[in-house]
Structure formats: C-alpha cells, structure tokens
Amino acid sequence: MSVLEAGRRFLLIAGPCLLEDDRLNVAIGERVRDVAQRLDVPVVFKASFDKANRTSASSPRGPGLEVGIERLATVRAETGVPVLTDIHEASQAERVSAAVDAIQIPAFLCRQTDLLTAAGRTGLPVNIKKGQWLAPEDMLHPVEKVRAAGAQSVSVTERGTLFGYGRWIVDMRSFAIMTETCGCPALFDATHSVQLPGGGVGGKASGGEPRWIETLARAAVAAGADGVFVETHPDPASAPSDGANMLPLDRLEGLVEGLLAVREARERSGGAG
C-alpha cells in the first residue's frame, strides 16, 4: 500500500509550509511522527522547497530545489517518516523523486498537463490539490492524467473555493463526490482553507483565521474526508510562509484526537456521502 493509501485508516499529512534549517525540520518531523505513533495513524511529512506563488515578489520562497532535496532527505533519514513535497515545473519531477515518497501538485497548477504527466511518470504516489475554481467532479481529469502517466496511486485534496470576497469556502459535498468520481482518497487541507488571500499586512501576504482549523477539519471528516493535510510550526508567527494560517505544533495531537473521534462516530452512524 502506498503512503497516500491508508485504506480505512485516517491519513495525516503534516509539516511546515517551507523547509527551514535541518534542526527545525527534523524537530517538527519528530513531533509529527510521535503524534502519529501515539494515535496509531499513518503519517507523511510535508514541506516545500519553493513557494512559487507568493503574494509579493519580496516574500521568502524557500531554500530552492537542490538544498531542499537535501533537507527532505535529512528529515526522512532522521525521523523514518515518509516525505512529500510539491513541484511547480515538469523538470523538477524526476529530480525530486529520488528524495521523496510522494509528490504534490499545487491547486493553482492542477490543470497543467505537462506537470501532471511528469509527476505520474515518476511512479510515485501523487496528491493533487483541487483548483480553487474547480467543481469536485472535475478533479477526475487531473487524476486520469496522472494515472495514465504511471502513478502508482493518487489522492485528491480539497482546499476551498474562492467566491470573490477574500475567503476560501469549503463545499463539504466535495469529499464524497471526489471519492466517488475519482476512485481515490479525498483529503482536507485544514490550514490553507482558513487562509485569507492577500489579507496580510498591506496586502503583500496572505492572512488567515487559524481559529477555524479544528471546526472545518471536524466538519470535513464528518462529511467523509479520508484524512487531513495540516501545515504546522512550533512558532507560526516566526514562520517564513503561511504563518498566519498554520496550526501551532502543540495543538496537532489534540486536533487529530478530535478528528479520530469524529471519524469513529461517522462510521458508527453508517458513514458519510
């Protein structure tokens, strides 16, 4: 079973938005691993080597491809946790595949055929974020592109839809629809869904409302989400990217505990969808 196929088990994808130094990356990875072990859930560590869609050109983008690959490999070696990162150009897929266990396609790029095909050709599991403008059933087309190229498994992730007033709105029907239409796990991005695009200081960064993370995540799991994607950091205020919408690391265990309780109640009641 691939790292993105948890079967009937709840899947946790968690880590910082951007890769930082090895010390911090490994510390977050160890904490994420320990939470997953205590709660007996499969886990994948996520972090980006580059954030190519920052609001401002002056915003930090990360360590870049070559250094990022080394840091991801360090996290995997030091923690024993599978790692995932996102790619933005087709040329990055093969290079990244040697250092990670899964590849992610950003929401803004989920229709880019060359990028999807390159990710699929690596043979690694691929997680595709749903575009903020796409209907849930339309995710079938990106999934088919990745499968046709050779991906061993695929998952899709709901991260909200923009309705024109600076907030992502989550359609809770998405999880059942994407699972039925695409035939793969449907996950919930619990932290980007509370992002306020361009809502940071002076409109040069995204803002966020992290107080809604747990509420939306519980609703998503009740509606049928197979797991959650969570960006987390010990001190979100100091994070170089997306600190305004990240979950403080010390709240991760409580979040997952609550989600497992919701999932158990959902299954007792006959499931969702």
Side-chain angles (χ1 to χ4, degrees):
M1 181 179 295
S2 86
V3 297
L4 297 180
E5 291 179 328
R8 291 186 57 81
R9 300 180 69 197
F10 182 87
L11 176 64
L12 173 64
I13 299 177
C17 179
L18 273 179
L19 285 161
E20 299 186 44
D21 61 69
D22 286 335
R23 180 194 60 79
L24 184 62
N25 298 333
V26 170
I28 295 174
E30 289 174 339
R31 175 64 174 165
V32 167
R33 176 199 63 199
D34 293 347
V35 167
Q37 288 179 345
R38 280 195 292 273
L39 299 178
D40 190 27
V41 296
V43 66
V44 178
F45 174 90
K46 176 273 165 189
S48 299
F49 59 83
D50 180 26
K51 300 298 287 186
N53 62 345
R54 297 306 306 272
T55 302
S56 170
S58 63
S59 298
R61 288 185 51 168
L65 178 62
E66 297 304 325
V67 173
I69 287 172
E70 294 175 0
R71 293 181 183 179
L72 287 163
T74 296
V75 172
R76 183 164 62 176
E78 293 291 326
T79 67
V81 174
V83 299
L84 170 151
T85 197
D86 41 355
I87 60 173
H88 300 85
E89 300 175 9
S91 61
Q92 296 172 342
E94 185 175 358
R95 185 71 183 91
V96 164
S97 69
V100 302
D101 300 279
I103 290 174
Q104 183 164 279
I105 304 298
F108 284 125
L109 301 176
C110 73
R111 290 283 299 273
Q112 297 297 102
T113 300
D114 289 347
L115 184 65
L116 292 160
T117 300
R121 283 177 179 159
T122 67
L124 290 176
V126 179
N127 181 42
I128 310 173
K129 294 283 194 74
K130 183 176 78 65
Q132 295 91 332
W133 66 95
L134 281 182
E137 56 269 25
D138 291 338
M139 282 300 289
L140 176 61
H141 305 299
V143 168
E144 287 182 331
K145 291 176 184 179
V146 170
R147 283 178 174 151
Q152 60 176 281
S153 66
V154 186
S155 62
V156 291
T157 297
E158 169 64 64
R159 61 139 303 156
T161 301
L162 187 63
F163 285 103
Y165 65 100
R167 283 174 176 77
W168 305 116
I169 305 300
V170 181
D171 181 351
M172 292 297 168
R173 298 169 294 184
S174 289
F175 307 103
I177 293 171
M178 290 194 297
T179 299
E180 294 164 1
T181 303
C182 302
C184 64
L187 311 175
F188 176 53
D189 185 339
T191 46
H192 284 109
S193 292
V194 301
Q195 190 180 64
L196 301 177
V201 177
K204 294 184 177 181
S206 292
E209 296 181 313
R211 68 190 182 112
W212 297 115
I213 291 172
E214 287 92 345
T215 300
L216 288 176
R218 288 193 294 266
V221 172
D226 296 299
V228 292
F229 172 105
V230 180
E231 288 187 340
T232 185
H233 194 282
D235 181 19
S238 70
S241 175
D242 278 357
N245 54 264
M246 277 204 279
L247 182 78
L249 189 58
D250 60 8
R251 284 169 48 189
L252 180 64
E253 185 165 0
L255 170 69
V256 179
E257 280 182 327
L259 299 181
L260 291 173
V262 172
R263 181 180 172 90
E264 182 180 353
R266 185 187 85 197
E267 292 178 344
R268 285 200 310 267
S269 69

